[in-house]
Every structure is written in structure tokens, then in C-alpha cells.
């Protein structure tokens, strides 16, 4: 089940973010200070352009996913959002990454009509496989790798 993140999730996500395997595959590999995390987390929860959800299995959080809308109306990139995902260290390798990416992306794209882009370090083959399995397509094989949903859905057609 997907649910929105709450202030009560700050410590859990801080622990996941500072896991050595997570840090090794992040763009910024150094440890995150608690004060920095709290300030970032509060900004994320307060920002309507950001969505942060947790995937739970039997009531236990197993993965998180964040979407951040780019640009504003009429600006370059206004149809895009960047996605970030992480699995709980003790839940890796069980399909939760692919599940949270597939389910959350479908909900997010349906609600926002935005194309979603994942930016991944070339060495992070596990994340690349997750996004490919969830239906994302490689659109740039540079550094970072960029995977994207094929297109944003068209707005609904209304008749008068």
C-alpha cells in the first residue's frame, strides 16, 4: 500500500538515506547530518511541487519514492518531474523497488499529466533494472543515465 510520508517518517528515512549502500549509489556520497535531513524533509513535506510516498507491506515501510515537478507553466521542462526511490536496506532484492516505481509512477502521471525522469549513476545497475522493469525507457546514456516514462498522458478531452 502506498501512503503519503508524514513528519513521523523523518527518522526512518534518515536511517535509510545514510545506509552505506544507499550513500555509495547516491550523487552525493557523504553522510547526511540529522539537522540537514530534518530541514530538507520539512521542505519536501511543505512543497506542493513534491510528492513523497512510502510503500508498506503488512504495515511495515519497505520503500519510499519522491517526485519533484520541474519548472512552472510555460517554462522548459514543465512537463517533467524527477523521481527518486529507495528501498529499506533490509527489504532490498524483494521486488519492492520495481513495485513502488510502477505503482507510484502510474498514480503520479495520471494525477499530474507529467512525464517522469529518473537520473541514475551509471554504476547503479540495480536502479537501472528497477526503472526498466517498471516500464521506463533509457533516453540518455550519459552521466547520469536518464530513464523516462514514454510520454505524459494527454489531458482529457471534454465535449461541450
Amino acid at each position: 500500500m502506498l501512503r503519503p510520508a508524514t513528519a513521523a517518517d523523518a527518522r526512518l528515512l534518515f536511517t535509510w538515506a545514510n545506509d552505506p549502500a544507499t550513500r555509495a549509489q547516491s550523487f552525493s556520497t557523504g553522510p547526511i547530518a540529522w539537522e540537514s535531513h530534518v530541514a530538507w524533509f520539512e521542505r519536501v513535506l511543505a512543497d506542493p511541487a513534491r510528492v513523497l510516498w512510502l510503500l508498506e507491506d503488512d504495515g511495515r515501510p519497505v520503500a519510499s519514492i519522491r517526485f519533484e515537478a520541474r519548472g512552472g507553466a510555460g517554462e522548459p521542462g514543465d512537463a517533467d518531474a524527477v523521481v527518486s526511490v529507495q528501498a529499506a536496506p533490509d527489504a532490498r532484492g524483494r521486488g519492492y523497488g520495481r513495485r513502488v516505481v510502477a505503482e507510484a509512477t502510474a498514480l503520479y502521471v495520471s494525477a499530474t499529466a507529467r512525464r517522469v525522469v529518473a537520473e541514475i549513476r551509471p554504476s547503479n545497475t540495480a536502479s537501472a533494472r528497477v526503472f526498466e522493469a517498471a516500464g521506463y525507457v533509457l533516453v540518455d546514456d550519459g552521466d547520469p543515465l536518464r530513464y523516462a516514462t514514454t510520454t505524459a498522458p494527454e489531458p482529457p478531452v471534454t465535449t461541450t
Side-chain angles (χ1 to χ4, degrees):
M1 166 182 132
L2 281 173
R3 68 163 176 85
T6 69
D9 297 312
R11 177 66 64 183
L12 174 70
L13 295 180
F14 172 74
T15 302
W16 290 2
N18 274 308
D19 174 73
T22 300
R23 298 291 358 117
Q25 293 303 330
S26 298
F27 289 106
S28 174
T29 58
I32 300 167
W34 171 247
E35 296 78 18
S36 297
H37 173 76
V38 169
W40 168 85
F41 193 72
E42 289 173 352
R43 285 191 309 272
V44 168
L45 293 182
D47 187 346
R50 296 176 178 175
V51 174
L52 177 59
W53 290 323
L54 274 70
L55 176 69
E56 292 185 338
D57 187 15
D58 288 330
R60 181 177 73 93
V62 293
S64 70
I65 191 162
R66 183 179 74 251
F67 298 94
E68 295 191 22
R70 286 186 175 166
E75 293 179 25
D78 66 351
D80 288 349
V82 176
V83 62
S84 178
V85 65
Q86 65 180 347
D90 64 349
R92 291 186 184 127
R94 298 184 188 163
Y96 293 121
R98 181 180 49 82
R99 182 175 158 199
V100 74
V101 170
E103 290 179 19
T105 298
L107 287 172
Y108 184 81
V109 170
S110 175
T112 66
R114 288 182 180 270
R115 183 179 79 134
V116 179
V117 177
E119 297 177 341
I120 303 169
R121 289 180 62 178
S123 63
N124 193 347
T125 57
S127 284
R129 285 192 307 270
V130 162
F131 282 96
E132 289 170 0
Y136 282 64
V137 176
L138 181 65
V139 294
D140 184 348
D141 63 357
D143 187 358
L145 299 173
R146 286 188 174 83
Y147 284 84
T149 53
T150 52
T151 59
E154 293 296 319
V157 176
T158 57
T159 57
T160 53

